[in-house]
Amino acid sequence: ERRMAAEGWIWLWGWGRRCPGRPGLPGPGPGPMTPLLLLLLLGPVAADITDGNSEHLKREHSLIKPYQGVGSSSMPLWDFQGSTILTSQYVRLTPDERSKGGSIWNHQPCFLKDWEMHVHFKVHGAGKKNLHGDGIALWYTRDRLVSGPVFGSKDNFHGLAIFLDTYPNDEATERVFPYISVMVNNGSLSYDHSKDGRWTELAGCTADFRNRDHDTFLAVRYSRGRLTVMTDLEDKNEWKNCIDITGVRLPTGYYFGASAGTGDLSDNHDIISMKLFQLMVEHTPEEENIDWTKIEPSVNFLKSPKDNVDDPTGNFRSGPLTGWRVFLLLLCALLGIIVCAVVGAVVFQKRQERNKRFY
């Protein structure tokens, strides 16, 4: 009989080394002395560190080999549709063929307020430089098993999406692909494929995960309104920070899933495992009294979404300082210098005239 030990993880400043949990412990992760040592070493930063012993693998929300409870079993934990095929080693969402779309979705809604999802995936194919596509999407959404144009799943969704995009549809983009981005939607926003989701992206990073000869991992953590995405792509057994956003509001009772799509270009999009861990986090009595199932997905932003251009309503949004923006900044700086010089000259002349009156 095969035993599967849960994996524990330590996060330092939002990144760190992945540490396999030892079999036999009540929960994955390091021993009880580890948090104490980290507390002594890191001081005030220790609040951001998760105690490995308090992370619990939730098997009802996890997809783990040998993939029992997937599909048409008597008690399904996961359902799949479209081009998705199940093997003993991976779940292939799409083959390396054109115009395919597939997805796999957890059968049970998740009612955890704080959680962490670790995804072992692989994107590979015969296509060379920019001749592959389109990518994988990871979901935590209200609706499931609804095919659509957004990496094989529906548009105008409610919830959270993490896009692992391999092809730049926008020829004028300055991003380097493959590219990982995050989107939170209350059903009112549409994902614009022609701009690679630029208008609705909250944050993102470049991540070279395609056609790697070693395992590739991604971790998504949501706790107390903070959303963190990290990658382990270099075969160094270490997490690298990709996205860190605060002010994110997500309800409970949504579903986890993964989907992928191909168009004129294609790739194999494989999910090897999806492991969900419960984070043991204390909440205030006020937070506990909230009906978390009624929360509307949203983000409290101090700044507008990353890399957006000027808002048609007139609000200037943060974006890359290139082209005409650099010109405008230089022009404003030059005008500012000229104005300061003129004002300074006038003030100096006034003082000179005033001094002459006293002689």
Side-chain angles (χ1 to χ4, degrees), residues 226-242:
R226 183 178 180 181
L227 179 68
T228 308
V229 178
M230 301 183 186
T231 60
D232 178 6
L233 310 176
E234 306 297 332
D235 201 25
K236 295 181 179 179
N237 205 38
E238 292 180 353
W239 290 116
K240 181 179 179 181
N241 193 29
C242 173

Side-chain angles (χ1 to χ4, degrees), residues 294-342:
K294 303 297 184 183
I295 293 176
E296 183 176 14
S298 63
V299 180
N300 300 325
F301 251 125
L302 296 178
K303 294 182 179 180
S304 298
K306 180 184 175 183
D307 285 354
N308 278 345
V309 297
D310 289 347
D311 193 333
T313 61
N315 297 320
F316 190 79
R317 298 186 175 185
S318 60
L321 299 179
T322 57
W324 64 271
R325 291 193 177 186
V326 175
F327 173 76
L328 285 179
L329 285 177
L330 293 176
L331 181 61
C332 290
L334 180 60
L335 290 176
I337 293 173
I338 293 174
V339 170
C340 290
V342 171

Side-chain angles (χ1 to χ4, degrees), residues 98-171:
R98 292 183 177 182
S99 302
K100 299 293 183 180
S103 65
I104 185 165
W105 290 88
N106 195 199
H107 191 77
Q108 300 186 31
C110 178
F111 291 97
L112 301 179
K113 299 182 181 70
D114 306 89
W115 48 264
E116 190 166 288
M117 175 70 81
H118 300 156
V119 183
H120 183 186
F121 69 99
K122 187 175 183 63
V123 179
H124 58 107
K128 301 303 181 182
K129 184 177 176 63
N130 285 343
L131 294 177
H132 49 264
D134 287 319
I136 293 177
L138 304 174
W139 305 94
Y140 176 68
T141 56
R142 185 187 69 183
D143 303 312
R144 70 187 197 104
L145 287 172
V146 182
S147 60
V150 184
F151 297 91
S153 193
K154 69 168 293 185
D155 202 354
N156 298 100
F157 59 91
H158 290 74
L160 168 70
I162 297 99
F163 302 119
L164 286 68
D165 196 347
T166 58
Y167 181 75
N169 292 286
D170 184 3
E171 295 180 356

